[in-house]
Amino acid sequence: MSKKSLLMSLVLVTVGIIIGAIVVSNFSGRVNVGYARGGDVKLGGSAPIQTPNSSVKALSENFIAVARAVTPSVVAITVTSSGKGKDHGMPHDFWHFFGPDMKSPDDEPMQGFGSGVIITPDGYIATNNHVVEDADANGIEVVLHDKIRYKARLIGKDPSTDLAVVKIDGKDLPVAALGNSDDVQVGEWVLAIGNPLQLTSTVTAGIISATGRNIGIIQGSYGVENFLQTDAAINPGNSGGALVNMSGEVIGINSAIATTNARYQGYGFAVPVNLLKSVAMDLIREGKVDRGFIGVTIAPVDQTMADALGLSDANGVLVNELVKGGAAERAGLKPGDVILTVDGRQVNAPNELQSYVAQHHPGDMVTLKVFRDGKTFEAKVSLMARAEDKLAANESQAPEQNENEGKDNALKPTEFNAVGMTVRSLSSEEKKEFDLDRGVIVAEVKPYGEAFNRFIRKNDVIVEADRKDIGSPAELKRVFDSHKPGESVLMRLKRDNSKQTAFVAVQIPVPK
């Protein structure tokens, strides 16, 4: 090989080695040889959207402003209580927020975590009753947004609304602005601010997904539920925290979630702030709530009930019973009346009426618009304090059962196939048990028939139909026979598991 050829071979080999080294270097993840050690390295690229949509940016800035303004007025609450192994008796599908560990051995104390909202500069704080109800003496601690700790004392609590007020010895504290929950609209943006799972000062966003919710979580016949529903993420520890609108006003106190695992699944519930205002004022002034009552048991009105009552639309709430000597009875109301409005406000669900009246005191006057027998009238009701309730009895003496129906036939069942139920006359023992002179007892209910779907159950007693006293199956049959298919029949029942009565309407099915 000539010297020239040898030289060319060496050059080619050298070039190959250099190229191979560069390739290997790039694939091995080593920094490109173009960057000197200690030099700048540019990571990432340019923003794909140089000018964000102005509406989106404005909304984001509004969230930031509201969170920054309101968060200092939301506190963390830690409660220590004697170990009782208590689970608060909560319904299966709904949970109060208290903390992730709600049970403890009987001989050990337990701690729970919640939130609160500062409502006065000198340290009154609103929270939930279920957050503080089991607190030991000196067992409530409040931590402010700036991490300053206080011991708090319980001022008062109201189990009927699940609200409470505690007090710390502070001054010039950041106070939350309280809005008007009556103005809240489904679909509006809200922020939930609190301390879920001990993650202090957490802010989540969502919308108002419903108003006026009654979820049956507050136990007792005087529970007031008119919750705002939101899909803002809230978890155990958010209880007592703030639900805030885009003006930075508190419109609700977060209280419960719908869940099957005691964690967020998309539905949270807050006590409306207008109810909080009334309750908090009473608790601060008196240490208890002095609440006025109309003195009625009420039920919703659907279209079948409206048809049976002669109402053109399914509006208002139905009066099932009156408290004897109560405000409603004194004002002249009767069972079977329909309350359409209170002080000019339309009410279409029992909790709407309850929530409005719950903001008033004994002696306050409310004006009801009432429907009765095809006509409407106004009734002025002076609210009364709650007393031991005695439901007004039907004082009319109904005639005894038709003697032509002999003893052998009296207890013979009569079928009402059209609505899917069977009834019979009451025995002497049953009359004593139900404290009734007349009525017919439901002996059987066909599953998923009209009676079943209208919540009539075995052993309910029918005492009226079409406002007429019923003493035998034959009398009930005459009422049904007077109606055509598609029409509704109004009945009054005495429930098997209750001493109270209720109105139920059934529609006679149209033959197919």
Side-chain angles (χ1 to χ4, degrees):
M1 181 181 295
S2 65
K3 289 184 178 181
K4 185 176 181 180
S5 298
L6 181 60
L7 182 60
M8 287 298 294
S9 297
L10 289 174
V11 170
L12 290 173
V13 170
T14 302
V15 170
I17 292 173
I18 293 172
I19 293 173
I22 293 173
V23 171
V24 171
S25 174
N26 285 339
F27 276 100
S28 67
R30 291 166 56 188
V31 177
N32 191 293
V33 294
Y35 293 107
R37 184 177 295 277
D40 292 335
V41 178
K42 184 178 180 181
L43 301 178
S46 300
I49 301 175
Q50 294 295 326
T51 307
N53 181 281
S54 58
S55 297
V56 174
K57 186 175 181 181
L59 180 61
S60 178
E61 290 173 348
N62 202 100
F63 283 168
I64 294 169
V66 170
R68 183 180 293 128
V70 181
T71 298
S73 65
V74 179
V75 304
I77 297 177
T78 301
V79 173
T80 303
S81 59
S82 300
K84 300 174 184 178
K86 187 175 180 181
D87 63 3
H88 292 270
M90 292 175 289
H92 176 69
D93 287 331
F94 292 94
W95 295 74
H96 279 127
F97 312 134
F98 190 74
D101 299 312
M102 297 181 63
K103 293 183 178 180
S104 68
D106 290 342
D107 58 347
E108 293 182 10
M110 66 179 181
Q111 270 193 338
F113 307 93
S115 304
V117 179
I118 301 172
I119 53 177
T120 68
D122 59 344
Y124 285 99
I125 297 170
T127 186
N128 284 132
N129 172 65
H130 73 261
V131 171
V132 297
E133 64 177 334
D134 295 323
D136 291 339
N138 205 37
I140 304 174
E141 184 179 73
V142 169
V143 181
L144 303 188
H145 179 61
D146 59 9
K147 297 181 175 57
I148 297 178
R149 294 178 177 270
Y150 291 87
K151 281 293 183 180
R153 63 185 185 276
L154 179 64
I155 298 300
K157 53 189 180 180
D158 181 32
S160 293
T161 58
D162 194 28
L163 292 172
V165 173
V166 300
K167 177 72 166 63
I168 61 175
D169 293 326
K171 61 179 181 179
D172 299 325
L173 298 174
V175 178
L178 305 183
N180 182 359
S181 51
D182 289 344
D183 292 338
V184 172
Q185 300 292 316
V186 173
E188 70 173 276
W189 281 103
V190 290
L191 299 182
I193 305 177
N195 307 282
L197 308 174
Q198 301 182 59
L199 300 171
T200 57
S201 301
T202 293
V203 180
T204 57
I207 63 168
I208 295 293
S209 50
T211 60
R213 286 295 196 210
N214 184 336
I215 58 176
I217 196 170
I218 298 178
Q219 303 301 304
S221 59
Y222 288 93
V224 180
E225 295 189 12
N226 195 33
F227 291 118
L228 303 175
Q229 181 180 317
T230 180
D231 63 352
I234 41 185
N235 276 288
N238 271 115
S239 275
L243 189 67
V244 186
N245 64 17
M246 289 296 95
S247 295
E249 298 171 322
V250 176
I251 57 171
I253 299 297
N254 296 319
S255 300
I257 51 176
T259 180
T260 56
N261 63 5
R263 294 293 185 270
Y264 171 73
Q265 287 183 315
Y267 303 100
F269 303 93
V271 178
V273 75
N274 286 6
L275 188 56
L276 166 68
K277 293 175 187 177
S278 172
V279 170
M281 190 64 69
D282 278 359
L283 293 179
I284 291 171
R285 287 175 174 174
E286 307 292 339
K288 63 183 181 67
V289 175
D290 190 18
R291 178 169 293 130
F293 292 90
I294 292 180
V296 292
T297 63
I298 51 181
V301 175
D302 61 14
Q303 191 58 54
T304 300
M305 180 65 74
D307 292 343
L309 292 165
L311 273 169
S312 57
D313 298 303
N315 296 327
V317 293
L318 176 68
V319 177
N320 273 327
E321 292 184 290
L322 305 176
V323 173
K324 189 172 182 61
E329 187 180 60
R330 292 185 179 187
L333 269 68
K334 296 181 179 180
D337 287 345
V338 178
I339 300 172
L340 300 174
T341 67
V342 54
D343 289 342
R345 300 160 56 98
Q346 191 171 21
V347 288
N348 290 324
N351 59 315
E352 291 178 1
L353 179 62
Q354 289 173 320
S355 180
Y356 181 79
V357 172
Q359 300 173 44
H360 293 73
H361 299 93
D364 289 351
M365 187 76 70
V366 296
T367 301
L368 305 179
K369 183 179 179 181
V370 181
F371 174 89
R372 179 193 296 167
D373 297 332
K375 299 178 181 179
T376 60
F377 63 93
E378 282 193 350
K380 293 189 178 297
V381 180
S382 179
L383 302 179
M384 298 175 65
R386 175 182 172 182
E388 288 297 321
D389 292 350
K390 295 181 180 179
L391 296 172
N394 185 351
E395 297 178 357
S396 62
Q397 294 296 318
E400 292 297 326
Q401 180 177 306
N402 187 339
E403 293 182 359
N404 291 329
E405 292 186 326
K407 292 183 178 180
D408 292 339
N409 294 325
L411 302 182
K412 183 179 179 181
T414 300
E415 295 182 355
F416 289 77
N417 291 323
V419 294
M421 69 177 182
T422 300
V423 305
R424 61 171 174 80
S425 295
L426 290 168
S427 67
S428 299
E429 292 77 10
E430 288 166 337
K431 287 179 180 179
K432 291 180 181 179
E433 178 185 351
F434 287 97
D435 192 22
L436 291 170
D437 293 327
R438 311 186 83 224
V440 295
I441 191 166
V442 178
E444 186 178 350
V445 179
K446 182 180 180 181
Y448 312 116
E450 173 68 6
F452 180 92
N453 291 335
R454 302 300 297 174
F455 302 103
I456 297 174
R457 296 294 182 261
K458 183 177 180 179
N459 293 331
D460 287 345
V461 178
I462 300 170
V463 295
E464 290 181 9
D466 272 358
R467 306 298 180 95
K468 300 179 181 70
D469 290 331
I470 297 298
S472 69
E475 292 178 358
L476 182 62
K477 187 175 185 303
R478 282 195 289 271
V479 170
F480 271 84
D481 288 346
S482 69
H483 287 267
K484 300 175 183 178
E487 294 182 346
S488 298
V489 178
L490 180 68
M491 297 186 293
R492 196 177 188 194
L493 310 179
K494 195 162 191 178
R495 297 291 188 184
D496 172 48
N497 59 355
S498 170
K499 295 298 183 182
Q500 296 183 349
T501 59
F503 286 94
V504 174
V506 295
Q507 185 181 56
I508 302 175
V510 177
K512 296 182 180 180

